[in-house]
């Protein structure tokens, strides 16, 4: 109550914000005469002038009034569309990183041009993100004359574009595209082998159209690029066969303390002979060497019924502390597959994730993010908590004339549908066009069937008729037309009224049931009453509808029967409407928790993703970067070995001997050579001495190989190791995530357990990359390098990448967004809908 009183005195926060922005709008309006007097050439020249000012350090905020005035003038000349004052307010909100809630028909497409133009002046690019290719192309081409009048370049990213056109689109001042294409291009870029092949620049500024659809409704579905791993699976078996006949202490040595195994020259010769190859350590054989190493570890270090057991044709890990099986857990770095090959059971994960990201984490990488939609206030809390985005409700240009009638409630569906048909007939007899909104395709077709039974002409717009969408929508505002549509007509659909319809009452909206989300209902209502047009809306509800049945059970229906409601009777009562609104709110909160849960897990991976992608980019920067990276890796490995083998500040002689032996096995340098001139030294000086020794040794060896070839050899070796280990790491985390919730039964927090284990796994992966790097580079031999050798590696990797990116769109091998399959629900399990009932008593009835 106190809040209400304060709001009446001082105005709401939204009203106070609008009051401030109107002062800026007044400034923009005062500039209009000056810009109207400019020639077309002078108007276009303003863009170069603004870019120069920004380059010299002037802020975009200070240029905003002039830039908006220029954009408004371009709209008048090129499109015969002048930005309204409320549209200027929307543009300011977008520029300042807010969500602009604007009603249907208020011209969001035109509003976006203001913030896009202003932010493009920085030279870093500005993105307009929308839900499908059709809207991206339509809006970009529609606004193109405005941008051309300002001398601004515009690009459109489409699904079927070739690499050249896509690259050019991203280099434009302003780029239109879909959330999927932007997200997948980010993943694709971070799988490429040359910086010049990257599509995207740094993510600077984006406006997300239909922001609630993209950042909320689609947020639970990750973008995943996955590829077939038949080659990898086959290599596990080949590698296992190659190492099975090696003998301990003859062909390889085991370090029990480090839990590592090292092949000597004898073992290497035998493996090369078994695999029919000349040099196991050549750069092109990195993948094969990885499989051989893991196969040797599986056979030499891991014992069946000790570290693992085989049950039901599956390798299962045994907890070393409790002796219990760890369900859903897999060893990292390809070791689990190596054990499966050793035990001759099915090698799992023949299709593996190559790259993945949620839309939530992708869009949070933009320096500045904003959005626009007709329905955002109901999810304002989620926008703020997840994306730090505040919602500003923009007033309409003219008052809304639509009449939203109370819900009509019936006991059963039959009575509800009968009333809907009567409403449709009555509305069309008055000359009103009618849009009937349904949740499911089957409902839309059922209403179509009922109308056909009465000989009433109508159109159905659902997923089966999507190809005719534009034609159906074009005629949906004509006198007496009837359009039955699923939710696809509730967003981004602008139904324009034909002459004579306004006098008949405008567009009639009929909702056949309430959606789980209030936003979807509001979007449907928003199809009517655009730009002050008349219109009306009404929802018809049955107490047998899914929303009420699942979340209120039979309680509400029994109450209504007890108070005397009978079949065929309708009521319009606030109590029922409030009950439905409460059910919707509970669903929204439940779904928010689900999205937040997914994000919490992806945040863990996101930090690791940034490290790996940054690491790849450093590798691609050039010779100095790769040599510097290798020098740093040598230091890190030496430091790790020092901590592992020399735990004391002043190492014992036997500890130093172990240290030197481990270095010798890793680098192939004789122990005598490594230990030459080495006397009693501290742990710190040990690290300094050997880091310098190995760095100088590698530099000397490196100089014996042609400069261009060694640069490429280093680059490909590092990329092979990083990419291979990262793919396996993603696979391990997928497995970890699938079984982590079982920790809850042991009174452990699954998220904390996931964070801990994923961090440990990531640390081990990074150590493995560094160890393997040192092992590889110290086995570079000049005679094994040639330009044709390097080119064959490049061609093979490019081919593998192309196959991964061009694969189909299913769950295991696609570049389309996928939803991970859920565990099958048993008949006696709790129903996933949250009703508290068993599945067989609830949704299982359907």
């Amino acid at each position: 109550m106190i809040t209400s009183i304060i709001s009446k005195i001082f105005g709401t926060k939204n009203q106070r914000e609008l009051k401030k922005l109107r002062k800026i709008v007044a400034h923009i309006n005062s500039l209009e005469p000056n810009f109207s007097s400019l020639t077309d050439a002078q108007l276009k020249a303003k863009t170069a002038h603004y870019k120069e000012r920004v380059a010299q350090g002037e802020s975009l905020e200070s240029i905003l009034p002039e830039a908006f005035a220029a954009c408004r003038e371009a709209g008048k000349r090129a499109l015969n569309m002048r930005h309204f004052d409320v549209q200027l307010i929307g543009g300011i909100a977008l520029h300042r990183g807010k969500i602009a809630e604007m009603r249907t028909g208020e011209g969001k497409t035109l509003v976006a041009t203001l913030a896009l133009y202003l932010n493009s002046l920085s030279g870093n690019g500005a993105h307009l993100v929308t839900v499908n290719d059709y809207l991206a192309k339509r809006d970009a081409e529609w606004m193109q004359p405005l941008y051309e009048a300002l001398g601004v370049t515009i690009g459109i990213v489409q699904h079927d574009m070739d690499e050249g056109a896509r690259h050019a689109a991203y280099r434009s001042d302003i780029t239109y595209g879909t959330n999927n294409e932007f997200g997948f291009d980010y993943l694709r870029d971070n799988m490429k082998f040359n910086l010049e092949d990257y599509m995207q620049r740094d993510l600077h500024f984006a406006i997300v159209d239909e922001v609630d659809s993209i950042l909320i409704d689609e947020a639970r579905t990750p973008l995943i690029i996955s590829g077939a791993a038949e080659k990898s699976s086959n290599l596990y078996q080949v590698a296992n066969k190659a190492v099975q006949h090696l003998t301990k202490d003859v062909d390889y040595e085991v370090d029990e303390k480090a839990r590592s195994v090292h092949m000597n020259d004898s073992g290497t010769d035998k493996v090369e002979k078994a695999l029919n190859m000349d040099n196991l350590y050549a750069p092109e054989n990195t993948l094969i060497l990885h499989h051989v190493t893991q196969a040797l570890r599986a056979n030499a270090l891991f014992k069946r019924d000790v570290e693992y057991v085989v049950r039901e044709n599956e390798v299962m890990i045994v907890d070393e502390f409790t002796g219990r099986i760890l369900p859903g857990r897999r060893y990292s770095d390809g070791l689990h597959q190596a054990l499966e090959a050793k035990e001759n059971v099915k090698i799992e994960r023949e299709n593996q994730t190559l790259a993945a990201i949620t839309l939530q984490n992708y869009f949070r990488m933009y320096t500045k993010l904003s959005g626009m939609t007709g329905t955002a206030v109901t999810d304002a809390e989620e926008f703020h908590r997840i994306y730090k985005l505040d919602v500003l409700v923009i007033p309409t240009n003219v008052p809304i004339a639509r009449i939203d009638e109370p819900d009509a409630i019936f006991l059963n569906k039959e009575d509800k549908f009968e009333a809907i048909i009567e409403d449709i007939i009555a509305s069309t007899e008055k000359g009103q066009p009618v849009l009937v909104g349904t949740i499911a395709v089957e409902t839309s077709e059922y209403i179509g069937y009922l109308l056909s039974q009465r000989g009433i002409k109508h159109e159905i717009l659902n997923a089966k008729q999507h190809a005719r969408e534009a034609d159906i929508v074009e005629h949906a505002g004509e006198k007496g037309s009837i359009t039955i549509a699923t939710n696809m007509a509730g967003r981004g659909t602008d139904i324009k009224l034909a002459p004579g319809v306004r006098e008949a009452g405008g567009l009639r909206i009929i909702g056949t049931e309430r959606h789980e989300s209030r936003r979807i209902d509001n979007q449907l209502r928003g199809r009517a009453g655009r730009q002050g047009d008349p219109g009306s809306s009404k929802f018809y509800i049955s107490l047998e509808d899914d929303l009420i049945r699942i979340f209120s059970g039979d309680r509400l229906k029994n109450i209504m029967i007890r108070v005397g409601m009978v079949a065929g009777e309708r009521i319009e009562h606030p109590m029922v409407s409030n009950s439905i609104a409460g059910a919707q709110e509970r669903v929204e909160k439940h779904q928010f928790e689900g999205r937040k849960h997914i994000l919490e897990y992806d945040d863990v991976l996101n930090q690791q993703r940034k490290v790996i992608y940054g690491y790849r980019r450093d590798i691609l920067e050039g010779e100095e970067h790769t040599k510097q990276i290798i020098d740093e890796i040598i230091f890190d490995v030496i430091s790790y070995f020092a901590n592992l083998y020399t735990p004391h500040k002043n190492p014992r002689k036997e500890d130093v001997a172990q240290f030197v032996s481990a270095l010798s096995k890793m680098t192939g340098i004789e122990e005598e050579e490594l230990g030459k001139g080495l006397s009693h030294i501290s742990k710190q000086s040990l690290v300094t001495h050997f880091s310098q020794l190995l760095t100088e040794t590698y530099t000397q060896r490196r100089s014996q190989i042609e400069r261009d070839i060694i640069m490429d050899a280093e680059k490909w070796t590092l990329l092979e190791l990083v990419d291979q280990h990262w793919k396996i790491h993603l696979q391990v985390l997928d497995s970890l995530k699938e079984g982590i919730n079982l920790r809850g039964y042991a009174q452990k927090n699954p998220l904390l357990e996931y964070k801990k284990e994923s961090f440990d796994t990531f640390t081990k992966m990074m150590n493995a990359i560094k160890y393997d790097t040192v092992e590889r580079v110290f086995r570079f031999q000049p005679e094994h390098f040639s330009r044709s050798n390097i080119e064959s590696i490049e061609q093979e990797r490019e081919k593998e990448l192309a196959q991964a990116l061009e694969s189909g769109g299913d769950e295991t091998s696609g570049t389309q967004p996928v939803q991970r399959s859920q565990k099958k629900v048993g008949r006696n399990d709790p129903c996933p809908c949250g009703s508290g009932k068993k599945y067989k008593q609830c949704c299982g009835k359907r």
Side-chain angles (χ1 to χ4, degrees):
M1 180 161 179
I2 294 175
T3 303
S4 177
I5 294 172
I6 293 174
S7 296
K8 287 180 181 178
I9 298 173
F10 299 103
T12 63
K13 180 182 177 182
N14 199 84
Q15 290 169 337
R16 294 194 298 272
E17 184 70 20
L18 291 174
K19 187 176 180 180
K20 294 177 184 177
L21 297 186
R22 286 194 174 96
K23 294 178 181 178
I24 301 175
V25 171
H27 184 192
I28 298 170
N29 288 339
S30 70
L31 299 174
E32 188 167 11
N34 295 335
F35 281 86
S36 296
S37 65
L38 297 175
T39 65
D40 289 348
Q42 289 172 329
L43 179 62
K44 183 176 289 189
K46 285 289 184 182
T47 297
H49 173 63
Y50 297 147
K51 286 184 176 180
E52 185 178 348
R53 286 165 58 183
V54 173
Q56 292 174 352
E58 191 170 347
S59 70
L60 293 177
E61 189 69 27
S62 66
I63 296 176
L64 186 151
E66 297 172 66
F68 275 35
C71 192
R72 172 190 264 180
E73 186 63 31
K76 286 159 55 179
R77 298 185 187 188
L79 302 173
N80 195 28
M81 299 170 70
R82 178 184 179 276
H83 296 79
F84 301 131
D85 286 0
V86 291
Q87 291 176 319
L88 297 178
I89 292 174
I92 299 170
L94 294 175
H95 162 67
R96 292 183 174 177
K98 296 180 184 293
I99 293 175
E101 178 174 293
M102 303 184 70
R103 298 292 183 119
T104 303
E106 292 296 302
K108 291 191 291 290
T109 306
L110 188 63
V111 170
T113 61
L114 296 161
L116 290 170
Y117 172 60
L118 175 61
N119 282 270
S120 74
L121 299 175
S122 67
N124 296 317
H127 295 169
L128 189 287
V129 187
T130 191
V131 292
N132 58 53
D133 276 350
Y134 166 74
L135 290 176
K137 191 170 188 290
R138 183 200 71 178
D139 292 352
E141 292 179 347
W142 186 11
M143 296 296 112
Q144 187 167 356
L146 180 152
Y147 294 126
E148 290 177 346
L150 292 167
V152 173
T153 57
I154 181 173
I156 312 172
V157 176
Q158 299 277 278
H159 177 68
D160 55 356
M161 288 176 66
D162 60 42
E163 294 276 295
R166 190 178 292 264
H167 191 275
Y170 278 114
R171 294 304 175 276
S172 301
D173 294 318
I174 296 169
T175 307
Y176 283 67
T178 68
N179 50 299
N180 286 352
E181 289 307 309
F182 282 125
F184 279 126
D185 279 334
Y186 169 76
L187 294 177
R188 293 178 187 119
D189 279 352
N190 286 285
M191 295 172 66
K192 290 178 179 173
F193 314 121
N194 296 289
L195 284 180
E196 56 267 26
D197 293 334
Y198 275 43
M199 293 293 152
Q200 295 181 346
R201 297 179 279 176
D202 291 339
L203 302 176
H204 172 58
F205 173 71
I207 299 173
V208 182
D209 191 12
E210 306 297 356
V211 65
D212 50 335
S213 173
I214 292 173
L215 297 190
I216 291 183
D217 296 339
E218 296 189 31
R220 296 188 62 154
T221 306
L223 303 177
I224 297 174
I225 293 178
S226 54
E230 294 100 51
K231 178 179 179 182
S232 177
S233 298
N234 181 57
L235 281 178
Y236 284 114
Q237 296 162 332
V238 170
N240 183 70
K241 188 176 181 180
V243 303
Q244 278 186 331
H245 302 295
L246 299 185
T247 305
K248 182 181 178 182
D249 296 330
V250 176
D251 301 316
Y252 64 88
E253 297 175 8
V254 174
D255 187 331
E256 299 285 353
K257 190 170 186 178
R259 294 287 291 170
S260 61
V261 59
H262 308 275
M263 275 193 304
N264 55 29
D265 290 343
S266 171
T268 300
D269 290 342
K270 290 180 180 178
V271 170
E272 287 174 345
K273 184 177 180 180
L275 298 177
N276 193 27
M277 61 174 56
D278 295 329
N279 179 19
L280 183 62
Y281 292 93
E284 67 268 24
N285 294 329
T286 297
L287 183 62
I288 298 173
L289 179 58
H290 172 78
H291 284 75
V292 168
T293 302
Q294 294 300 62
L296 191 55
R297 288 188 69 205
N299 282 272
L301 294 174
F302 289 78
K303 298 180 178 62
R304 181 169 176 168
D305 297 329
V306 179
E307 284 87 5
Y308 67 93
V309 297
V310 178
R311 288 187 181 175
E312 297 179 357
N313 209 34
E314 183 180 353
V315 173
M316 308 181 80
I317 300 175
V318 175
D319 189 323
E320 61 177 311
F321 300 108
T322 66
R324 295 179 183 277
I325 290 174
L326 299 174
R329 292 276 301 280
R330 293 176 66 84
Y331 287 116
S332 64
D333 216 15
L335 176 60
H336 210 97
Q337 288 92 333
L339 288 169
E340 289 167 338
K342 169 188 172 183
E343 297 296 341
N344 196 30
V345 300
K346 180 184 177 183
I347 298 176
E348 297 292 340
R349 301 282 182 171
E350 294 187 353
N351 286 283
Q352 62 182 352
T353 299
L354 306 178
I357 193 171
T358 60
L359 289 174
Q360 293 159 313
N361 269 322
Y362 173 73
F363 283 109
R364 292 198 305 179
M365 288 191 294
Y366 277 88
T367 305
K368 184 166 61 177
L369 182 66
S370 62
M372 52 188 187
T373 181
T375 48
V377 169
T378 53
D379 294 290
E381 179 188 359
E382 182 168 354
F383 281 124
H384 180 76
R385 288 178 61 181
I386 302 298
Y387 304 101
K388 304 298 184 239
L389 288 171
D390 292 326
V391 177
L392 184 67
V393 180
I394 311 298
T396 57
N397 186 48
V398 294
I400 297 175
R402 186 186 68 239
I403 300 171
D404 295 327
E405 300 174 8
D407 296 346
I409 298 116
F410 298 83
L411 270 181
N412 56 58
K413 290 185 177 181
E414 289 77 9
D415 293 338
K416 179 185 74 170
F417 286 121
E418 180 63 29
I420 288 172
I421 299 301
E422 295 303 324
D423 192 336
I424 293 172
I425 294 172
S427 299
T428 53
E429 286 177 349
K430 291 193 298 183
Q432 284 183 285
V434 178
L435 174 63
V436 183
T438 70
I439 291 178
V441 171
E442 60 183 352
T443 308
S444 67
E445 294 181 340
Y446 179 66
I447 293 175
Y449 165 77
L450 294 177
L451 290 173
S452 297
Q453 291 294 98
R454 299 199 184 192
I456 300 172
K457 185 180 177 182
H458 61 277
E459 290 281 3
I460 297 179
L461 176 57
N462 58 32
K464 296 180 180 179
Q465 285 85 28
H466 67 91
R468 297 183 55 234
E469 179 176 358
D471 182 59
I472 293 173
V473 171
E474 183 181 354
H475 299 287
E478 295 177 354
K479 190 173 183 179
S481 69
I482 302 171
T483 307
I484 307 165
T486 53
N487 293 334
M488 64 189 295
R491 187 184 293 278
T493 305
D494 191 7
I495 297 175
K496 297 180 180 179
L497 300 182
V501 172
R502 288 171 180 81
E503 294 74 15
L507 180 64
R508 174 67 167 173
I509 301 293
I510 297 176
T512 59
E513 62 185 292
R514 287 288 191 172
H515 193 273
E516 289 181 351
S517 170
R518 291 169 291 174
R519 281 186 297 106
I520 308 300
D521 293 341
N522 292 337
Q523 287 158 12
L524 178 61
R525 274 199 165 119
R527 298 310 100 192
R530 60 183 298 279
Q531 283 294 321
D533 284 344
S536 60
S537 69
K538 190 176 190 70
F539 278 83
Y540 287 82
I541 297 165
S542 156
L543 297 183
E544 295 177 344
D545 288 348
D546 287 348
L547 178 69
I548 298 174
R549 181 178 54 80
I550 293 172
F551 291 95
S552 295
D554 295 327
R555 181 181 58 84
L556 183 59
K557 186 175 182 179
N558 291 334
I559 291 174
M560 300 311 297
I561 292 174
R562 281 201 301 269
V563 298
M565 188 175 184
V566 296
E569 181 182 358
R570 82 160 70 186
I571 64 168
E572 297 179 1
H573 197 285
M575 184 197 78
V576 183
S577 297
N578 291 338
S579 177
I580 295 168
Q584 289 178 307
E585 195 169 348
R586 288 196 298 275
V587 177
E588 289 166 0
K589 287 181 178 178
H590 174 72
Q591 292 174 340
F592 172 38
E593 289 302 317
R595 290 187 291 266
K596 189 174 71 170
H597 181 71
I598 288 173
L599 183 61
E600 287 171 338
Y601 278 86
D602 192 60
D603 278 344
V604 177
L605 178 60
N606 197 45
Q607 297 304 315
Q608 300 172 4
R609 184 190 298 115
K610 288 179 179 177
V611 171
I612 288 295
Y613 286 177
Y615 208 56
R616 283 187 100 260
R617 197 172 188 107
D618 288 342
I619 293 168
L620 296 174
E621 290 288 346
E623 177 193 16
E624 293 307 315
H625 284 79
T626 51
K627 178 60 169 65
Q628 182 181 346
I629 289 170
I630 291 172
D631 289 347
E632 291 171 355
I633 286 175
I634 290 173
F635 178 83
D636 289 344
V637 171
I638 296 295
S639 299
Y640 173 75
F641 273 22
N643 289 327
L644 182 64
Y645 294 102
T646 59
H648 306 290
K649 186 175 181 181
N650 294 306
R652 298 175 300 180
K653 185 175 181 180
E654 55 269 30
D655 292 338
V656 174
Q658 276 191 316
F659 176 91
V660 171
S661 176
L663 283 187
S664 174
K665 292 171 185 176
M666 178 179 62
T667 61
I669 303 173
E670 296 293 336
E671 290 186 33
E672 293 77 10
E673 185 179 344
L674 285 171
K676 194 181 297 181
L678 187 65
S679 58
H680 181 72
I681 55 177
S682 68
K683 185 175 182 177
Q684 182 58 48
S685 57
L686 191 75
V687 172
T688 304
H689 170 78
F690 280 103
S691 296
Q692 183 176 351
L693 174 64
L694 292 189
T695 300
E696 290 175 352
T697 301
Y698 176 64
T699 301
Q700 192 275 329
R701 292 187 177 188
R702 187 177 188 270
S703 65
Q704 299 174 16
I705 304 173
E706 186 181 329
R707 174 188 166 96
D708 289 345
I709 291 179
I710 189 61
M711 285 171 57
D712 282 340
E714 288 174 337
K715 165 189 163 182
W716 285 110
T717 297
L718 285 167
L719 285 178
E720 287 276 4
L721 290 171
V722 170
D723 289 351
Q724 184 62 29
H725 282 281
W726 177 242
K727 284 189 291 186
I728 295 171
H729 180 69
L730 290 176
Q731 178 180 325
V732 171
L733 290 193
D734 277 348
S735 298
L736 175 62
K737 196 183 300 181
E738 286 175 7
I740 202 71
N741 285 328
L742 297 173
R743 310 287 177 89
Y745 293 111
Q747 305 303 310
K748 294 181 179 180
N749 185 315
L751 179 59
L752 294 180
E753 291 287 301
Y754 178 77
K755 287 181 177 179
K756 177 182 178 297
E757 293 202 23
S758 64
F759 176 77
D760 291 344
T761 303
F762 183 75
T763 301
K764 291 175 183 176
M765 180 198 72
M766 293 303 295
N767 287 337
I769 290 173
K770 293 172 182 178
Y771 183 97
D772 289 351
T773 298
V774 176
E775 186 178 54
R776 303 298 192 275
V777 299
F778 274 91
R779 285 171 169 77
F780 281 170
Q781 297 295 329
E783 62 268 22
H784 293 128
F785 289 96
S786 67
R787 172 49 51 195
S788 60
N789 178 283
I790 294 295
E791 287 176 353
S792 67
I793 299 173
E794 292 180 355
Q795 291 170 2
E796 181 64 23
R797 290 301 307 275
E798 293 287 355
K799 182 180 177 181
E800 290 174 0
L801 178 61
Q803 288 174 344
L805 300 187
E806 291 173 3
S807 57
D810 57 45
E811 184 184 35
T812 57
S813 62
T815 55
Q816 296 300 309
V818 297
Q819 177 68 52
R820 287 297 185 198
S821 60
Q822 301 296 313
K823 180 182 177 182
K824 186 176 180 181
V825 182
R827 296 279 295 162
N828 292 308
D829 289 342
C831 190
C833 72
S835 65
K837 296 183 178 181
K838 291 182 179 180
Y839 178 67
K840 67 181 180 181
Q841 298 169 336
C842 189
C843 297
K845 288 181 179 179
R846 291 187 237 178

